[in-house]
Amino acid sequence: MEQKIQQLKNLLAEIADLNYISALLGWDQQTYMPSGGAEARGNQMALVGRLAHERGTSVELGNLLDELKPYAATLDPDSDEARLVKVTARDFDKASHVPSSHIVEFTQVTTLAQQAWMEARQNSDFTIFRPHLEKIVELRLEYASYFPDFTHPYDALLDDFEPGMKTADVKMIFEGLRPKLVELIKAIASKPQVDDSFLHQHFDQGKQWKFGEEVITKFGYDWKRGRQDKAAHPFTTEFSLNDVRITTRVDPDFLNPMLFGTMHECGHALYGQGVAPELERTGLERGASLGIHESQSRMWENLVGRSLPFWEYFYPRLLEVFPQFSAVPLKRFYKGINKVKPSFIRVEADEATYNLHIMLRLDMELALMEGKVSVKDLPSVWNAKMQEYLGITPPDDAMGVLQDIHWSGGMIGYFSTYSLGNLVSAQLWEKINQDIPDLDEHIRHGKFEILLGWLRQNVHRHGAKFEPQELMLKVTGSRIDPTAYIRYLKKKFGEIYGL
Amino acid sequence: MEQKIQQLKNLLAEIADLNYISALLGWDQQTYMPSGGAEARGNQMALVGRLAHERGTSVELGNLLDELKPYAATLDPDSDEARLVKVTARDFDKASHVPSSHIVEFTQVTTLAQQAWMEARQNSDFTIFRPHLEKIVELRLEYASYFPDFTHPYDALLDDFEPGMKTADVKMIFEGLRPKLVELIKAIASKPQVDDSFLHQHFDQGKQWKFGEEVITKFGYDWKRGRQDKAAHPFTTEFSLNDVRITTRVDPDFLNPMLFGTMHECGHALYGQGVAPELERTGLERGASLGIHESQSRMWENLVGRSLPFWEYFYPRLLEVFPQFSAVPLKRFYKGINKVKPSFIRVEADEATYNLHIMLRLDMELALMEGKVSVKDLPSVWNAKMQEYLGITPPDDAMGVLQDIHWSGGMIGYFSTYSLGNLVSAQLWEKINQDIPDLDEHIRHGKFEILLGWLRQNVHRHGAKFEPQELMLKVTGSRIDPTAYIRYLKKKFGEIYGL
């Protein structure tokens, strides 16, 4: 059986390599590729995607899995080998439900849709994007129809990003979260607003960049196994566990995009750099799910990067780099970076309002998949929901329904993972603080090894071995739930706003 | 038959896409990849190389070619379709001699070797690189052994870079060239040396970069279909005819590397950007050979970029950017950039001594392939040859045997093409000046359209349709020979040094 396992690993290594290559094609497209290269890049990505899909659904792989399943059942169910067979079988089964022709059409449709979305957003004209999104919704419904075993058509989509998670679970989690959030935001709104005007000044871009580098170097980002580049829409990607790259965006007149964006992407990258080397090229070298991945990025961005202990250490350094802060005491700075205010753009939202942006998207995705709303009505439904949830109405569709790239890439079912990531980050944080009672002291002294070590040991090294709920049970003793996040928000913003 | 041709093109498109992907993997490796990514990159390049090789030697392709050959014989032999069948058949035949396993091993070995070479050069320690090079020589001999029809083991290697060219041809060309070069260099050495100290000053790197961009923009480099990045060892590569990228190196204390390097790589890139779009993804979208490619880079670097008319236009602009040249009259600057002096580094060599660097490498490659010298002795043999050919001995191996990346990439058989490029550039230049008698006037006014137009019409658009000697016969009426280059050198340096 050792030989069969090796055969399996050989097949999986090739699929992993193709996925890594695909990631490089995407990274280059979003960082350096000149516009002329777009059409050819589409061909190249379609080819690599097809080759990976062919291999991921091959008869050879299927037969090998059938042979290995009984053997895997005899192993420790948490062993690498047992998990390898289990996860591969799950992915094979899922991929085998989908005909190649669907994959090809989906790639073609979304490639064109992304271009249309860019143009639509630029002109704030939803009608440019609308026919593409209609086709995408149709294709996503077709995709869902390949999985009659799922009870809700959205389940099949969600499961691709958050293995094992059901629509009903997410709805229940969000329903527990929403009223508490609304209540908190209301309470905050009744208090005097904090000042964050000092974040909106001119900041030298080179200095911003270097400060970001300094912070994530302290976090433990390994520059020999990664690098940072600029991208309009920052992301993290990997071409190996030893080549995990981040991208960031620098706004010359606003510190936050670089500062918190860099920490956010670094959080993703630390996960990638921390997966056990023996999982490399097996398909288990990915994270457990997008939600778990997001828990890491949000933890470093918010629970660490927007905390007072963090700034007790880093604020003197920031003052050296940007002396214009010398008139701003640490406490005022801390409050400023944690200002809560309903806003239009999800990626710029504060920790309290962020999840309402996600709930809005989940509502709309569910309505689309259930046929309760049609694409043409999305802009008005979006604006009405924004008013309902956040009390504001976008001035145009670029600031509204057109702000995010996801739907143009066919990624319906993805947004929920952002909120799950927030909840998971707080759940993990409570557990970490139980295990490391003096964590704040470490952070206050610019020491992050103990935190990173804990994450490596409990989360990172496992890669995709465990489904998100399994992992959370193992690590924290409970499934994903919103109470830790609510406790975290109430305590933090209670202090900041004097609630 | 139209349908068969279309089938052929579909197969070739996939091979071309794989080759483009491979080029991106290589570009990233040499520009941005962190050191940690090297091993994984080796796997990825090996995979893509194997997939391309499998497709380039497939039974399907072979059968299709057999069916198409009689049809192609009925066509105009210079038509795209006839050439497509001919060139594809040639490549298919050559690739079919090589087992896939060899390709995979070669890719893996050379990927690691490149990292080792970088480290070796950095530390000027040949022993780091030596075992890798030994393996590479072994693999190159194995490769040559797959082609028993070639009379010399070096023929099979040379033919990959310079289709149709034989070792004996190159030796004969070089033997005609060497005595004339030695004589010229001797004559120059007997004259007072020109001053080029003004080129060795501090030059702001950002300003250097911008000046280089300005020059090649004038040349006609299309930035929407390319970009420029930094690389330790500059090169040009393409991921589509619409994404042809150059790299350059900036030395803060010496103007030449950026200046002439940028023009050189731009020369390559203009070739790539000038291939007829209908040849895209057919395998004919490449250049005719490395020698022909090099003729383009050397033409823009030397025949244009080191000419007096060019600087009559650009010198005032250079003075604006670097006012420190204000004390240097144009003529002195012109002489300085054309200073002839034996030196250690090939890429920095002047036009007169450059080819001796190549002859040295050819001697050593032939000796390696003939088993007359072993890898461990290369540093000392190199140094002895440098003394023999150029009268100087490198102070260390970084300045000697470790200076070039080529061998670490397995590219034995490649260097000769640099000299062929020089010769071809002068041959083409004579023809161009016959066809455009007022070319100097155009250049003197910063107008390069007429030159680029001629090159596009006579050289670029044909891509790889013609073998180098065929192309030269078509364009100039004669095969590659060194006389035009010797005439060019004698005239130019005769004037500069008053011979």
Side-chain angles (χ1 to χ4, degrees):
Chain A
M1 274 300 153
E2 258 324 297
Q3 204 194 328
K4 294 275 171 203
I5 286 278
Q6 195 48 55
Q7 262 179 274
L8 176 68
K9 285 186 175 173
N10 292 346
L11 294 182
L12 294 175
E14 196 165 305
I15 298 170
D17 286 345
L18 288 166
N19 288 329
Y20 278 145
I21 290 167
S22 188
L24 177 69
L25 291 164
W27 171 85
D28 179 68
Q29 185 176 35
Q30 290 190 58
T31 50
Y32 294 118
M33 190 185 79
S35 58
E39 192 186 331
R41 187 54 48 89
N43 292 325
Q44 293 153 13
M45 292 184 85
L47 170 60
V48 175
R50 176 165 63 73
L51 294 174
H53 186 254
E54 278 168 12
R55 282 157 180 74
T57 56
S58 73
V59 175
E60 191 185 359
L61 180 60
N63 291 341
L64 207 48
L65 285 168
D66 286 343
E67 290 179 83
L68 281 165
K69 275 178 209 163
Y71 163 70
T74 69
L75 302 172
D76 168 5
D78 283 357
S79 67
D80 285 358
E81 290 197 350
R83 287 286 164 170
L84 183 68
V85 174
K86 187 177 175 181
V87 172
T88 308
R90 179 193 76 200
D91 291 353
F92 176 84
D93 182 59
K94 206 159 181 202
S96 299
H97 278 78
V98 186
S100 266
S101 60
H102 179 87
I103 305 282
V104 170
E105 190 181 1
F106 186 72
T107 311
Q108 286 163 338
V109 165
T110 54
T111 303
L112 292 177
Q114 283 175 64
Q115 277 165 320
W117 168 77
M118 265 180 246
E119 202 194 325
R121 193 177 65 153
Q122 212 150 33
N123 298 293
S124 195
D125 181 355
F126 184 74
T127 62
I128 297 170
F129 181 44
R130 179 183 148 187
H132 297 272
L133 186 55
E134 281 168 346
K135 187 69 202 164
I136 284 170
V137 170
E138 204 177 285
L139 284 172
R140 296 271 70 186
L141 281 166
E142 188 179 308
Y143 182 84
S145 74
Y146 299 133
F147 302 92
D149 289 351
F150 284 114
T151 48
H152 192 285
Y154 193 73
D155 281 350
L157 311 186
L158 180 66
D159 182 80
D160 280 350
F161 305 112
E162 210 58 36
M165 187 75 72
K166 298 282 179 285
T167 308
D169 300 334
V170 174
K171 279 171 91 168
M172 201 175 64
I173 291 168
F174 283 14
E175 272 153 26
L177 181 61
R178 182 156 29 198
K180 309 277 185 186
L181 281 181
V182 171
E183 188 188 325
L184 176 69
I185 294 164
K186 216 168 173 178
I188 290 171
S190 73
K191 294 287 178 175
Q193 186 52 287
V194 304
D195 173 35
D196 71 342
S197 58
F198 45 82
L199 297 168
H200 297 270
Q201 301 180 59
H202 180 76
F203 300 101
D204 177 85
Q205 298 194 47
K207 286 182 183 169
Q208 284 197 52
W209 186 269
K210 282 205 167 170
F211 186 77
E213 282 184 342
E214 194 180 321
V215 169
I216 64 175
T217 301
K218 276 276 177 192
F219 282 177
Y221 181 69
D222 183 349
W223 293 97
K224 285 192 181 145
R225 300 162 60 218
R227 55 173 287 116
Q228 182 175 244
D229 296 274
K230 285 186 189 169
H233 306 279
F235 60 98
T236 299
T237 185
E238 46 195 66
F239 318 135
S240 141
L241 295 178
N242 293 313
D243 190 356
V244 183
R245 303 192 194 178
I246 60 178
T247 57
T248 196
R249 181 168 83 84
V250 184
D251 182 333
D253 300 309
F254 187 29
L255 194 61
N256 293 23
M258 180 290 301
L259 190 56
F260 298 106
T262 299
M263 291 194 261
H264 180 99
E265 300 306 333
C266 175
H268 284 301
L270 291 173
Y271 194 173
Q273 291 186 337
V275 173
E278 55 270 26
L279 301 183
E280 176 74 302
R281 301 170 83 218
T282 66
L284 297 184
E285 74 283 335
R286 297 162 294 170
S289 73
L290 290 191
I292 300 297
H293 233 300
E294 190 73 5
S295 78
Q296 300 305 292
S297 57
R298 297 294 274 180
M299 183 181 292
W300 290 95
E301 174 193 0
N302 291 328
L303 293 136
V304 175
R306 280 189 166 93
S307 75
L308 194 54
F310 173 89
W311 286 106
E312 286 174 30
Y313 178 77
F314 269 110
Y315 200 55
R317 189 60 202 117
L318 189 72
L319 285 173
E320 278 173 39
V321 179
F322 296 114
Q324 58 254 61
F325 283 121
S326 56
V328 184
L330 171 61
K331 279 280 167 64
R332 219 176 105 213
F333 178 84
Y334 168 69
K335 287 185 180 184
I337 58 169
N338 284 297
K339 179 179 174 180
V340 173
K341 190 178 182 213
S343 60
F344 300 117
I345 303 295
R346 172 185 62 83
V347 294
E348 293 169 7
D350 58 79
E351 291 177 86
T353 60
Y354 185 95
N355 293 290
L356 292 174
H357 288 264
I358 299 304
M359 291 173 195
L360 176 151
R361 285 157 178 75
L362 176 65
D363 289 351
M364 299 187 74
E365 290 185 344
L366 288 174
L368 281 171
M369 294 302 287
E370 291 166 358
K372 289 181 180 160
V373 75
S374 67
V375 169
K376 78 168 177 354
D377 297 326
L378 275 190
S380 59
V381 177
W382 180 287
N383 292 352
K385 283 260 171 203
M386 278 297 284
Q387 191 59 48
E388 182 191 339
Y389 284 8
L390 289 160
I392 53 176
T393 300
D396 57 33
D397 288 338
M399 301 280 276
V401 70
L402 287 172
Q403 69 182 266
D404 280 315
I405 196 174
H406 304 62
W407 291 341
S408 73
M411 292 182 285
I412 296 176
Y414 187 116
F415 280 115
S416 313
T417 70
Y418 289 128
S419 279
L420 295 174
N422 286 331
L423 307 187
V424 168
S425 73
Q427 268 181 283
L428 290 174
W429 196 248
E430 285 193 350
K431 174 70 178 146
I432 293 167
N433 278 277
Q434 280 164 25
D435 291 355
I436 314 169
D438 61 343
L439 178 62
D440 275 2
E441 268 314 294
H442 284 264
I443 294 177
R444 190 171 284 123
H445 290 92
K447 302 278 180 205
F448 301 95
E449 297 86 350
I450 198 164
L451 172 59
L452 183 56
W454 191 98
L455 293 170
R456 290 255 146 107
Q457 177 64 23
N458 291 283
V459 180
H460 299 176
R461 69 187 171 98
H462 300 307
K465 275 178 70 176
F466 306 112
E467 292 191 349
Q469 296 282 31
E470 273 183 306
L471 182 70
M472 288 305 285
L473 268 172
K474 268 182 201 296
V475 179
T476 70
S478 60
R479 296 162 60 89
I480 301 174
D481 88 83
T483 54
Y485 193 66
I486 292 164
R487 273 193 296 274
Y488 160 73
L489 288 184
K490 278 193 169 166
K491 180 164 185 297
K492 179 172 186 176
F493 293 103
E495 282 165 15
I496 291 173
Y497 280 93
L499 304 180
Chain B
M1 276 301 155
E2 259 323 298
Q3 205 194 328
K4 295 274 171 201
I5 287 279
Q6 195 48 55
Q7 263 179 274
L8 177 67
K9 285 186 175 174
N10 292 346
L11 294 182
L12 294 175
E14 197 166 304
I15 298 171
D17 286 345
L18 288 166
N19 288 330
Y20 279 144
I21 290 167
S22 186
L24 177 68
L25 291 165
W27 171 85
D28 178 69
Q29 184 178 33
Q30 289 190 57
T31 49
Y32 296 117
M33 190 186 79
S35 58
E39 193 186 331
R41 187 55 47 89
N43 293 325
Q44 293 152 13
M45 294 184 84
L47 170 61
V48 175
R50 175 165 65 72
L51 294 174
H53 186 255
E54 280 168 9
R55 281 156 181 74
T57 56
S58 73
V59 176
E60 190 185 0
L61 180 60
N63 291 341
L64 207 49
L65 286 167
D66 286 343
E67 289 179 83
L68 281 165
K69 275 177 207 164
Y71 164 69
T74 69
L75 302 172
D76 168 4
D78 283 356
S79 67
D80 285 358
E81 290 197 349
R83 287 285 164 170
L84 183 67
V85 174
K86 188 177 174 180
V87 171
T88 308
R90 181 193 74 200
D91 292 352
F92 175 84
D93 183 58
K94 204 161 181 200
S96 300
H97 279 78
V98 186
S100 263
S101 58
H102 178 88
I103 306 281
V104 170
E105 190 181 2
F106 184 73
T107 313
Q108 284 164 339
V109 165
T110 53
T111 304
L112 292 178
Q114 282 175 63
Q115 293 296 125
W117 166 78
M118 267 181 239
E119 201 193 326
R121 192 176 67 153
Q122 212 151 33
N123 298 293
S124 194
D125 181 355
F126 184 74
T127 62
I128 297 171
F129 181 44
R130 180 182 147 188
H132 297 271
L133 185 55
E134 280 168 347
K135 186 69 202 165
I136 284 169
V137 169
E138 204 178 286
L139 285 172
R140 295 272 69 187
L141 281 165
E142 188 179 309
Y143 182 84
S145 74
Y146 299 133
F147 301 92
D149 289 351
F150 284 114
T151 49
H152 192 285
Y154 194 73
D155 280 351
L157 310 186
L158 180 65
D159 183 80
D160 280 350
F161 304 113
E162 213 56 36
M165 188 73 73
K166 298 282 180 285
T167 308
D169 301 333
V170 173
K171 280 170 93 167
M172 200 175 65
I173 291 168
F174 282 14
E175 271 153 27
L177 181 61
R178 180 155 30 195
K180 308 278 185 184
L181 281 182
V182 170
E183 188 188 325
L184 177 68
I185 294 165
K186 216 169 174 179
I188 290 172
S190 73
K191 293 286 180 177
Q193 186 53 288
V194 303
D195 173 37
D196 72 340
S197 57
F198 45 83
L199 296 168
H200 297 270
Q201 300 180 59
H202 180 76
F203 299 101
D204 178 85
Q205 299 194 47
K207 285 182 183 170
Q208 285 197 53
W209 186 268
K210 282 204 166 171
F211 186 76
E213 282 183 343
E214 192 179 323
V215 170
I216 64 175
T217 302
K218 275 276 177 192
F219 283 177
Y221 181 69
D222 182 349
W223 294 97
K224 285 192 182 147
R225 299 163 61 218
R227 54 175 285 117
Q228 183 174 245
D229 296 274
K230 285 188 188 166
H233 197 99
F235 62 97
T236 299
T237 186
E238 45 195 68
F239 319 134
S240 141
L241 295 177
N242 293 315
D243 189 356
V244 183
R245 302 192 194 179
I246 61 178
T247 57
T248 197
R249 180 168 84 84
V250 184
D251 182 333
D253 299 309
F254 187 29
L255 194 60
N256 292 23
M258 180 290 302
L259 189 57
F260 298 106
T262 300
M263 290 193 262
H264 179 99
E265 300 308 331
C266 176
H268 284 301
L270 290 173
Y271 194 173
Q273 291 186 338
V275 172
E278 55 270 27
L279 301 183
E280 177 73 303
R281 300 171 85 218
T282 66
L284 297 183
E285 73 283 335
R286 296 161 295 170
S289 73
L290 290 191
I292 300 297
H293 233 299
E294 190 72 6
S295 78
Q296 300 305 291
S297 56
R298 297 295 275 178
M299 183 181 291
W300 290 95
E301 174 193 1
N302 290 328
L303 293 137
V304 175
R306 280 188 166 92
S307 75
L308 194 53
F310 173 89
W311 286 106
E312 286 174 30
Y313 179 76
F314 269 109
Y315 201 54
R317 188 61 202 115
L318 188 71
L319 285 174
E320 279 173 39
V321 179
F322 297 114
Q324 58 253 62
F325 283 121
S326 56
V328 184
L330 171 60
K331 278 281 167 65
R332 219 175 107 212
F333 179 84
Y334 168 69
K335 287 186 179 184
I337 58 168
N338 285 296
K339 179 179 174 180
V340 173
K341 191 180 180 211
S343 60
F344 300 117
I345 302 295
R346 173 185 61 84
V347 295
E348 292 169 8
D350 57 78
E351 291 177 86
T353 60
Y354 185 95
N355 294 290
L356 293 174
H357 287 264
I358 299 304
M359 290 173 196
L360 176 152
R361 285 157 177 74
L362 177 64
D363 289 350
M364 299 188 75
E365 290 186 343
L366 289 174
L368 281 171
M369 294 302 288
E370 290 166 359
K372 289 180 181 161
V373 75
S374 67
V375 169
K376 78 167 176 358
D377 297 325
L378 274 190
S380 59
V381 177
W382 181 287
N383 291 352
K385 283 260 171 204
M386 278 297 285
Q387 191 58 48
E388 181 192 338
Y389 283 9
L390 289 160
I392 53 176
T393 299
D396 57 34
D397 289 338
M399 301 281 276
V401 69
L402 287 173
Q403 69 184 265
D404 280 316
I405 196 175
H406 303 64
W407 291 341
S408 74
M411 292 181 283
I412 296 176
Y414 187 116
F415 281 114
S416 313
T417 69
Y418 288 128
S419 280
L420 295 174
N422 286 332
L423 308 186
V424 168
S425 73
Q427 270 181 281
L428 290 174
W429 196 248
E430 285 192 351
K431 175 67 177 148
I432 292 167
N433 279 277
Q434 281 165 25
D435 291 356
I436 313 169
D438 62 344
L439 178 62
D440 275 2
E441 267 315 294
H442 284 264
I443 294 177
R444 191 171 285 125
H445 290 92
K447 302 278 180 203
F448 302 94
E449 297 85 350
I450 197 164
L451 172 58
L452 183 56
W454 190 98
L455 292 170
R456 292 253 147 109
Q457 177 63 23
N458 290 283
V459 179
H460 299 176
R461 71 187 170 97
H462 300 306
K465 276 178 69 176
F466 306 111
E467 291 192 348
Q469 295 284 30
E470 273 184 304
L471 182 70
M472 287 305 285
L473 269 171
K474 268 183 200 295
V475 179
T476 70
S478 60
R479 295 162 61 89
I480 300 172
D481 88 82
T483 54
Y485 192 66
I486 293 164
R487 273 194 295 275
Y488 161 73
L489 288 184
K490 278 193 168 166
K491 180 165 185 294
K492 179 172 186 176
F493 292 103
E495 284 166 13
I496 289 173
Y497 279 93
L499 305 180

